[in-house]
Amino acid sequence: MASIAEPIARLIAELNKLPGIGPKSAQRLTYYLLHTPDEEVKSLGDAILFLKEKVELCSVCFNITDRNPCPICQDKERDHSKICVVEKPSDIIPLERTGKYEGVYHVLHGTISPAQGIGPQELKVKELLYRLQDNSVAEVILATNPTIEGEATAMYLRQMIRPMGIHISRLARGLPFGSDLEYADDMTLAQALEGRQEF
Amino acid sequence: MAAPHVYQTRAIVLRQSKIGEADRIVTIYTPELGKLKAIAKGACRPGSKLGGNVEPLTYSSMMLAKGRNLDIITQSQTIDAFLALRKDLWHMACGLYTLELVDSSTLENSENSPLFDLLLNALRWLCQSENDKTVVRYFELHLLHHLGYRPQLRRCVNCNSSLNPVINFFSYGQGGILCPHCNQKEPVPRPLSVDALKVLRLWQGCDYATASRVKMSSKLSSELKQVMQGYMRYLFQRELKSMAWLEELEKKSLVDNNYGTN
Ligand SMILES: [Zn+2]
Ligand SMILES: [Zn+2]
């Protein structure tokens, strides 16, 4: 790589770290940016920096937000007695897109993974149980992925929440086992949401 | 002779991790090839035919294609998804523990078909059984046997004298039981009750059906757990992560709460 100018090699290496971008794409993007007008490149750079500077976790639901509490948690039109529990912030996007869900969310930031030593302490579980303590929540919808780890997490939450007498449901099995909510199509997800089952 | 380009095998999925957007690296245990890592392309997408068939805790029939580094799983059909284990937190934890034990005690590409059979059977026993602690202990004891660490339980490992029905001692370093006399030189004495020794001896030589008929007090059960897990920690020189998860569930009394319901 010594023949390539250092700034170019550096950007290629950085882009290559991104998901879905292999060495060839990284190279193509780098040379594309080299020929892009200065102000556009600057705007892209600013957007990336802003992402980290202006964004934080909502203190209620732990979604990523630039306002705290986040717009969903602040929305009085939404049903705050329903909490949909998801693994990661990007899982909220497809659920919102279905337009079928009027409740609020809770983001765990991961799943229980015994083989990797990730337990409930590493997730926003304590924070969820805290939210459930003031008797204002009637239903918890467990929307963790239909994977082994998602199931383990859902079963653990069920056992922790059940003594509180709150209704617990789980997304219906429109979702094939082993899949990821983030990549589910809208129809499948809307069906899974409507057909959520007692858990 | 060149290895075939495409091959078929039965496999138990031990572990998997995501790479890239939607691909997965899957660690499988097979009867003929032992442990190996393979790639499942696009397995995270809901439309994927591979998805659920390459999740940990599945027993599948797989087609693999030789790859440059890792082989590629081209087809996978589930033979048994051990559904009873997936419906219960504690049983799932026991199942994941057996997987981690096999994963961390074996090397890639070293065939051990008795160990494969043991793992498959243990997962099936866990599905049928409420006697899950016996399954786990029996599995550990026989896993050690198939790995060449069968503990010597009949005679003193040091002086070879036959053991009396008194409290004897377990030596991790010497891989078996020490009589009270020989134990005096051990830096850390690990006493083993007469009942615990009896159960271990019986289990070492019998099939699971017989083993599962042993009724144990919770005191005896926890003694057996301590001795087996201590010995494995010593042999593998590491903490097993899913062992910690089992401990946590036991501590929170989330054991067996709703087995059979739902
Ligand atoms: Zn929020
Ligand atoms: Zn001796």
Side-chain angles (χ1 to χ4, degrees):
Chain A
M1 277 301 225
S3 56
I4 296 180
E6 152 64 20
I8 293 175
R10 184 177 155 198
L11 185 56
I12 292 175
E14 288 300 327
L15 289 171
N16 193 200
K17 290 180 191 163
L18 300 175
I21 297 193
K24 284 222 178 83
S25 310
Q27 205 174 323
R28 207 171 335 115
L29 289 169
T30 302
Y31 284 102
Y32 172 82
L33 289 171
L34 206 54
H35 297 107
T36 305
D38 284 6
E39 57 273 28
E40 274 184 47
V41 174
K42 198 172 169 315
S43 159
L44 174 64
D46 284 349
I48 292 171
L49 287 175
F50 254 60
L51 183 66
K52 279 303 202 181
E53 270 170 32
K54 301 287 172 186
V55 150
E56 58 183 324
L57 295 185
C58 170
S59 56
V60 180
C61 71
F62 299 91
N63 189 12
I64 293 167
T65 181
D66 57 351
R67 272 180 291 157
N68 195 359
C70 74
I72 293 177
C73 287
Q74 279 189 32
D75 189 345
K76 298 230 161 40
E77 300 293 300
R78 296 189 77 114
D79 182 352
H80 289 251
S81 75
K82 284 194 181 77
I83 296 182
C84 179
V85 180
V86 295
E87 292 179 11
K88 51 189 189 299
S90 51
D91 289 341
I92 291 180
I93 299 161
L95 285 162
E96 283 297 289
R97 222 170 35 212
T98 65
K100 297 272 183 198
Y101 182 63
E102 72 289 6
V104 293
Y105 295 94
H106 189 89
V107 184
L108 293 171
H109 290 273
T111 43
I112 292 173
S113 176
Q116 284 166 49
I118 301 173
Q121 301 80 1
E122 278 74 33
L123 313 174
K124 304 286 181 197
V125 167
K126 198 169 71 255
E127 291 81 352
L128 172 64
L129 299 176
Y130 180 76
R131 275 179 88 180
L132 301 179
Q133 262 162 16
D134 67 356
N135 290 328
S136 65
V137 178
E139 182 183 3
V140 172
I141 302 154
L142 299 172
T144 50
N145 286 330
T147 58
I148 282 286
E149 280 141 13
E151 290 293 325
T153 309
M155 288 193 290
Y156 178 80
L157 291 176
R158 173 176 59 188
Q159 303 226 16
M160 299 306 285
I161 296 170
R162 197 157 42 186
M164 301 174 166
I166 295 167
H167 188 91
I168 307 164
S169 59
R170 179 99 174 97
L171 283 198
R173 278 298 157 74
L175 297 167
F177 194 74
S179 62
D180 188 321
L181 223 59
E182 197 180 338
Y183 305 114
D185 63 275
D186 294 5
M187 266 313 288
T188 308
L189 202 50
Q191 281 167 359
L193 200 53
E194 282 177 340
R196 65 181 182 258
Q197 289 155 355
E198 187 87 37
F199 185 63
Chain B
M1 217 173 70
H5 188 66
V6 177
Y7 60 97
Q8 183 165 18
T9 182
R10 293 180 296 136
I12 295 169
V13 180
L14 299 180
R15 188 159 54 97
Q16 52 137 300
S17 53
K18 236 173 150 173
I19 46 158
E21 195 88 354
D23 299 346
R24 287 176 191 185
I25 292 186
V26 185
T27 308
I28 56 179
Y29 202 72
T30 69
E32 302 88 6
L33 304 158
K35 182 169 80 175
L36 58 114
K37 285 199 178 101
I39 297 177
K41 290 203 161 136
C44 301
R45 296 201 177 87
S48 166
K49 289 194 184 74
L50 285 178
N53 299 312
V54 295
E55 276 282 305
L57 278 183
T58 27
Y59 170 42
S60 305
S61 167
M62 291 185 180
M63 288 286 279
L64 289 98
K66 284 263 168 229
R68 212 159 6 130
N69 297 313
L70 297 175
D71 294 353
I72 295 156
I73 301 171
T74 56
Q75 284 174 47
S76 181
Q77 190 137 40
T78 300
I79 301 168
D80 192 346
F82 310 108
L83 289 178
L85 296 190
R86 292 161 189 259
K87 285 188 198 147
D88 177 83
L89 195 57
W90 171 254
H91 282 76
M92 184 193 273
C94 291
L96 293 174
Y97 172 66
T98 63
L99 299 184
E100 192 188 353
L101 256 185
V102 170
D103 190 17
S104 49
S105 65
T106 55
L107 298 170
E108 280 176 52
N109 301 313
S110 103
E111 181 251 326
N112 191 339
S113 70
L115 183 54
F116 177 88
D117 292 337
L118 175 69
L119 176 61
L120 181 57
N121 283 328
L123 294 171
R124 288 178 170 158
W125 297 327
L126 277 172
C127 282
Q128 295 154 5
S129 166
E130 320 235 331
N131 214 348
D132 41 81
K133 287 189 179 141
T134 301
V135 176
V136 172
R137 295 290 92 79
Y138 184 88
F139 173 78
E140 291 167 340
L141 197 59
H142 286 258
L143 170 104
L144 293 178
H145 169 69
H146 293 312
L147 294 172
Y149 295 111
R150 180 189 171 96
Q152 165 61 264
L153 304 173
R154 294 283 158 191
R155 297 181 155 269
C156 172
V157 275
N158 192 50
C159 69
N160 206 32
S161 64
S162 59
L163 297 166
N164 293 321
V166 294
I167 291 185
N168 288 287
F169 297 83
F170 198 106
S171 163
Y172 297 161
Q174 297 184 66
I177 308 299
L178 289 172
C179 70
H181 175 74
C182 293
N183 184 65
Q184 287 166 11
K185 283 167 265 165
E186 280 282 294
V188 193
R190 299 175 213 284
L192 191 70
S193 70
V194 176
D195 281 349
L197 181 55
K198 263 192 210 158
V199 172
L200 289 177
R201 279 178 175 174
L202 172 74
W203 284 354
Q204 202 170 48
C206 74
D207 60 11
Y208 172 71
T210 312
S212 68
R213 284 198 285 272
V214 177
K215 295 270 176 288
M216 284 185 293
S217 67
S218 62
K219 188 163 166 265
L220 180 56
S221 164
S222 82
E223 184 184 1
L224 290 168
K225 178 177 86 177
Q226 251 145 33
V227 67
M228 288 307 295
Q229 301 202 333
Y231 186 39
M232 285 185 306
R233 268 196 207 104
Y234 172 86
L235 288 174
F236 304 145
Q237 292 292 313
R238 52 175 292 215
E239 286 296 318
L240 290 170
K241 286 172 177 152
S242 41
M243 204 190 270
W245 176 234
L246 284 173
E247 290 289 322
E248 176 164 354
L249 292 180
E250 272 191 284
K251 228 183 286 161
K252 288 200 171 125
S253 310
L254 294 178
V255 177
D256 251 351
N257 263 353
N258 63 333
Y259 188 61
T261 63
N262 224 317

